Amino acid sequence: HEEQERIVKLDAIKKGLEIECKNLTIRLEEVEANALIGGKRIISKLESRIRDIELELDEEKRRHAESIKILRKKERQVKEILISAEEDHKNATLLQESCEKLNAKVNLYKRQFTEQETLSGANVNRVRRFQRELEAAEERAEAAESNLSLIRAKHRSFVTAI
């Protein structure tokens, strides 16, 4: 009898455990189904996020390529400007040298002009002095001629008087 009670108890425990096992299996299946559904949702969200990030990456690559293209263009422009600036600097240096040479020539011409002006002034003074001397000599010559005419006239009148 004890044995039977024990068997009944064990059967009751067994049935309870089987029911509990069945409930746990059902619960596990529900949890797995929910996990599967939630996992699919998460996977779907992550796949959507990956697509968005890939689109952003493609857009960023495009912008990067465009930026590189603009950078190359700007680098070329900078090189052209630098070359132009170097040429302008060389031209400015050449012009400065040319200007200095021309200034030296101008100064030389000024000095020569001043020397010529001084010589011309001296020559004008000499001409004026010669002019004065000539006029004085002409006056003396006229006076001498006048005196000579008087002496000749006196000499003629003296010769005719003798």
Side-chain angles (χ1 to χ4, degrees):
H1 189 26
E2 263 181 47
E3 184 80 24
Q4 235 176 9
E5 276 181 33
R6 211 169 153 188
I7 289 178
V8 170
K9 266 187 182 180
L10 283 175
D11 277 339
I13 290 174
K14 184 180 173 184
K15 273 187 184 179
L17 287 174
E18 284 176 354
I19 291 173
E20 191 176 336
C21 186
K22 208 181 231 187
N23 286 340
L24 286 175
T25 303
I26 291 170
R27 180 117 194 263
L28 179 63
E29 287 173 358
E30 288 173 356
V31 167
E32 284 178 347
N34 288 337
L36 190 61
I37 291 170
K40 285 181 181 178
R41 253 188 279 131
I42 290 173
I43 289 172
S44 175
K45 283 181 184 178
L46 289 175
E47 285 174 345
S48 173
R49 182 72 179 128
I50 288 172
R51 281 190 300 276
D52 291 345
I53 290 173
E54 285 174 342
L55 290 174
E56 287 177 23
L57 177 63
D58 289 343
E59 181 63 23
E60 194 59 38
K61 282 181 182 178
R62 187 193 62 74
R63 282 195 301 253
H64 178 69
E66 186 68 26
S67 296
I68 294 295
K69 185 175 158 185
I70 291 170
L71 176 66
R72 298 288 183 251
K73 184 177 178 182
K74 295 298 179 188
E75 285 175 344
R76 276 193 309 275
Q77 288 175 345
V78 167
K79 281 183 182 179
E80 289 171 1
I81 289 170
L82 286 175
I83 290 170
S84 176
E86 286 177 19
E87 288 176 10
D88 290 347
H89 180 69
K90 287 177 187 176
N91 289 338
T93 302
L94 290 174
L95 288 173
Q96 182 65 34
E97 291 171 0
S98 178
C99 187
E100 288 170 1
K101 287 178 184 176
L102 289 173
N103 279 335
K105 280 185 178 181
V106 165
N107 288 334
L108 175 67
Y109 292 152
K110 280 182 181 178
R111 191 171 50 254
Q112 288 175 347
F113 177 75
T114 303
E115 289 171 1
Q116 290 301 317
E117 207 172 41
T118 303
L119 282 174
S120 293
N123 287 338
V124 166
N125 287 336
R126 277 191 0 215
V127 166
R128 285 183 186 154
R129 187 186 59 174
F130 289 149
Q131 186 71 33
R132 283 191 307 269
E133 288 175 3
L134 178 63
E135 287 172 1
E138 283 176 348
E139 285 175 9
R140 283 193 313 269
E142 282 177 17
E145 277 182 27
S146 179
N147 286 339
L148 182 63
S149 293
L150 282 176
I151 291 176
R152 278 189 187 157
K154 279 184 188 179
H155 181 55
R156 262 186 237 142
S157 60
F158 178 73
V159 172
T160 50
I162 308 188

